[in-house]
Amino acid sequence: MAPKSRKKKAHAKTLTCYCNVCPEESVDNEKCETRPGGSCFASVRGIYNSTTNEYDVEYEYGCMPPEQSGGLLQCRGSLYLAGQNIKCCDSGEFCNQNMELEFQAPSTTPSPSDTQQIDQFSYNQLALLLSLGVCAILFLIIVLVVLVTYRRRETKRKQVCLLESGHSSHLSPLNDLFEQSSGSGSGLPLLVQRTIAKQIQLEKSVGRGRYGEVWLAKWREEPVAVKVFFTTEEASWFRETEIYQTVLMRHENILGFIAADISGTGSYTRMFLITDYHENGSLHDYLQMHVISPRSLQELAHSLTAGLAHLHMEIFSKPGKPAISHRDIKSRNILVKRNGQCAIADFGLAVKYNSELDEIHIAPNTRVGTRRYMAPEVLDESLNPTQFESFKLADIYSVGLVFWEMARRCVTTIPGTKSTACEDYALPYHDMVPSDPSFEDMYDVVCTQKIRPPIPERWQDEEILQVLSKIMVECWHPKPTARLTALRIKKSLSKIQTDGSGHIV
């Protein structure tokens, strides 16, 4: 082996090669000479351009070092080395100049068959996950519906069981029944209402009007009021029941509704409306029997407008409450609660308004309200029934007259003395029209003569009476659009402060 090696070294020669990347010692810029045993090479490589997302191809020609220096090892390696295709030659001068080189870009993407398999796998995974997700959501919805339905049925079942149970010690009071109801604010379930109505025990008559008669009654030893309608007032019963069962109707200054029922034979029908019972009776009766302090006057007036503001207000929610106009505000239709606040009652003439549909629901009722409290635009028939605001402003006129009734019974101290003064109770226009005035009587006073109830001078000596006097004048203004809103009146009255003795401060 040694002689052979020495022979090869003896015949080692240099080559002249074509170069475009020539060494510094090269004399000519297009050729170079190899060292003994070296070779010529040609290479092609691609440099990735991230801007164009393609490879820029570069060709290189030059001299390769001898094998002892590691040069030929590159030529004997893989066809591609780090993205570079290299070919070497030692067959003669400039043997590398016309070598054919082909660049193939390295690829990290899988073959088409692999890609299809991966895409199909990903699609199947995604479809499976989506299916599982939809199934889970549907399952949760079904569970929630079942739970809600079960809970409501259990609540109703417990209510009926409590009502039908003979053990009074296990009975829930009416307030508990309302707390157990659906929470929509539209009253108790109909089955519970009918069960209560069958268990009512009438005790004594406490009032009578053109619609029927009001009785004090007992349900499981709890006092309730029962309005028994005349057979001719079926429309009023239907309307009042509908209004009371309106969603979100319940309010501390609106008479609390408990139940309604209708029963009878083909020739005789009884219609009941069961509500909270207030022993003080109507505001009309209360003012005849009592004088009131400035503090009490403020409480009565403020609570009345709070109830009316809630009635007039439309609540936008799911479910929501329509705006409602009472259309028969008077002192007989307002009850006085034990805490000294008012509760508005009698909704047989009420009007509902849905702003989304722009619909006014006027009940087919022959009653037209109370003439003494009718606004000028009602008396002269100029009220626009297609505009719901017209009904609300007519309510405000009536409220102004009720304020006048309250204010007359408010006691004030005569300046410079220790004596007190107040007027006797009287109805609005008591000294100008008969006890049961006709349309013509009221039209002549209110519309033709434009008379309004007088305001005594003593009312200027007490702040609440001063404020209420100004409110009254704006409430009964002949031009409806100049009147205040219930919410504005409520805010004005809530600003008045009183001291511990009941005097305004």
Side-chain angles (χ1 to χ4, degrees):
M1 291 298 293
K4 187 176 181 180
S5 176
R6 283 196 298 272
K7 185 177 180 181
K8 188 173 183 180
K9 286 182 181 179
H11 290 88
K13 61 180 180 178
T14 62
L15 287 174
T16 302
C17 306
Y18 171 73
C19 68
N20 63 356
V21 182
C22 303
E24 294 180 359
E25 64 270 17
S26 176
V27 177
D28 193 329
N29 288 334
E30 292 188 354
K31 65 180 180 179
C32 61
E33 283 193 3
T34 66
R35 284 181 284 172
S39 60
C40 301
F41 80 89
S43 74
V44 60
R45 66 174 178 172
I47 300 175
Y48 181 73
N49 189 329
S50 60
T51 304
T52 62
N53 200 27
E54 295 179 350
Y55 283 89
D56 296 333
V57 180
E58 292 185 354
Y59 293 88
E60 292 185 6
Y61 302 87
C63 297
M64 185 68 71
E67 181 179 352
Q68 293 83 351
S69 301
L72 289 178
L73 290 177
Q74 297 185 46
C75 296
R76 295 176 182 177
S78 301
L79 178 64
Y80 287 94
L81 182 61
Q84 185 174 17
N85 181 3
I86 302 174
K87 286 186 178 181
C88 301
C89 64
D90 57 1
S91 59
E93 305 292 333
F94 298 103
C95 63
N96 66 333
Q97 188 169 8
N98 296 316
M99 278 185 175
E100 293 183 2
L101 296 173
E102 182 181 356
F103 172 74
Q104 293 182 357
S107 175
T108 57
T109 55
S111 64
S113 60
D114 292 339
T115 302
Q116 291 176 359
Q117 292 178 0
I118 293 173
D119 288 346
Q120 185 66 29
F121 177 74
S122 300
Y123 174 80
N124 292 338
Q125 271 195 324
L126 180 61
L128 178 61
L129 290 174
L130 287 175
S131 300
L132 291 174
V134 170
C135 291
I137 292 172
L138 289 175
F139 177 75
L140 288 175
I141 292 174
I142 292 171
V143 170
L144 287 174
V145 170
V146 170
L147 287 176
V148 170
T149 303
Y150 175 77
R151 184 174 179 182
R152 287 184 176 179
R153 288 182 178 178
E154 277 297 297
T155 299
K156 292 179 182 179
R157 186 186 65 79
K158 289 178 181 179
Q159 290 172 346
V160 174
C161 288
L162 288 172
L163 292 169
E164 295 178 345
S165 171
H167 304 286
S168 60
S169 60
H170 296 293
L171 288 173
S172 298
L174 287 170
N175 287 340
D176 290 342
L177 287 177
F178 279 107
E179 289 178 1
Q180 293 177 24
S181 66
S182 63
S184 65
S186 58
L188 295 169
L190 293 178
L191 178 60
V192 177
Q193 291 186 34
R194 289 169 183 167
T195 305
I196 291 176
K198 292 176 182 178
Q199 297 176 348
I200 292 294
Q201 296 177 340
L202 301 180
E203 291 196 342
K204 66 175 182 178
S205 175
V206 293
R208 187 180 179 88
R210 59 189 172 191
Y211 54 81
E213 196 169 9
V214 178
W215 286 74
L216 167 63
K218 287 288 182 67
W219 176 77
R220 302 298 191 186
E221 301 305 316
E222 287 193 55
V224 294
V226 178
K227 184 189 288 189
V228 183
F229 287 77
F230 295 138
T231 55
T232 56
E233 292 295 329
E234 186 174 350
S236 294
W237 178 85
F238 273 110
R239 188 57 169 177
E240 193 158 5
T241 300
E242 177 190 1
I243 294 294
Y244 271 124
Q245 292 183 336
T246 299
V247 173
L248 301 178
M249 178 68 175
R250 294 188 68 83
H251 187 273
E252 62 179 339
N253 300 122
I254 293 175
L255 180 60
F257 169 75
I258 298 172
D261 195 18
I262 185 169
S263 62
T265 62
S267 59
Y268 182 74
T269 302
R270 299 188 73 185
M271 295 168 289
F272 298 95
L273 191 71
I274 304 166
T275 65
D276 292 341
Y277 174 73
H278 298 294
E279 58 192 29
N280 287 327
S282 71
L283 180 64
H284 173 269
D285 297 334
Y286 185 80
L287 293 176
Q288 290 187 75
M289 303 295 295
H290 301 83
V291 293
I292 56 178
S293 67
R295 175 68 182 90
S296 297
L297 174 60
Q298 183 205 13
E299 189 74 17
L300 288 170
H302 180 265
S303 58
L304 171 58
T305 51
L308 188 63
H310 179 76
L311 202 63
H312 283 182
M313 177 176 58
E314 182 174 8
I315 299 176
F316 299 93
S317 62
K318 295 294 181 182
K321 170 192 165 296
I324 300 173
S325 169
H326 189 283
R327 296 180 71 205
D328 196 16
I329 294 288
K330 60 181 179 180
S331 55
R332 292 183 186 274
N333 288 341
I334 300 166
L335 300 176
V336 179
K337 299 167 66 174
R338 185 176 295 181
N339 63 1
Q341 294 187 3
C342 290
I344 301 173
D346 196 338
F347 295 94
L349 282 176
V351 172
K352 294 199 297 185
Y353 175 67
N354 185 323
S355 64
E356 290 185 1
L357 303 176
D358 194 23
E359 291 180 352
I360 299 176
H361 299 275
I362 302 177
N365 196 316
T366 56
R367 289 175 57 191
V368 291
T370 305
R371 292 185 285 271
R372 186 182 297 273
Y373 292 85
M374 284 182 180
E377 61 271 22
V378 178
L379 292 168
D380 65 14
E381 298 181 320
S382 63
L383 183 144
N384 185 357
T386 64
Q387 296 292 326
F388 181 71
E389 286 297 315
S390 302
F391 295 103
K392 290 166 60 176
L393 294 172
D395 281 348
I396 296 298
Y397 171 88
S398 304
V399 166
L401 298 182
V402 174
F403 284 163
W404 182 84
E405 293 178 64
M406 294 179 184
R408 283 177 61 89
R409 301 297 285 160
C410 179
V411 175
T412 58
T413 302
I414 300 173
T417 70
K418 294 183 179 181
S419 302
T420 57
C422 74
E423 289 79 37
D424 293 335
Y425 175 75
L427 291 169
Y429 305 109
H430 67 100
D431 54 350
M432 303 175 198
V433 296
S435 58
D436 185 18
S438 64
F439 278 104
E440 291 74 18
D441 293 332
M442 295 308 304
Y443 177 85
D444 180 60
V445 171
V446 176
C447 299
T448 304
Q449 301 183 53
K450 301 187 184 301
I451 295 175
R452 299 293 185 269
I455 296 178
E457 290 186 9
R458 75 172 184 90
W459 291 6
Q460 306 308 312
D461 298 330
E462 184 68 47
E463 184 181 359
I464 180 62
L465 288 170
Q466 287 181 17
V467 173
L468 212 54
S469 299
K470 294 178 181 178
I471 291 175
M472 289 177 209
V473 173
E474 293 189 72
C475 285
W476 59 47
H477 197 284
K479 187 177 180 181
T481 54
R483 296 172 195 160
L484 301 172
T485 63
L487 185 60
R488 176 67 181 276
I489 299 170
K490 174 187 171 184
K491 290 181 178 179
S492 297
L493 293 173
S494 64
K495 293 178 182 178
I496 302 174
Q497 301 296 321
T498 61
D499 61 20
S501 61
H503 295 290
I504 304 297
V505 294

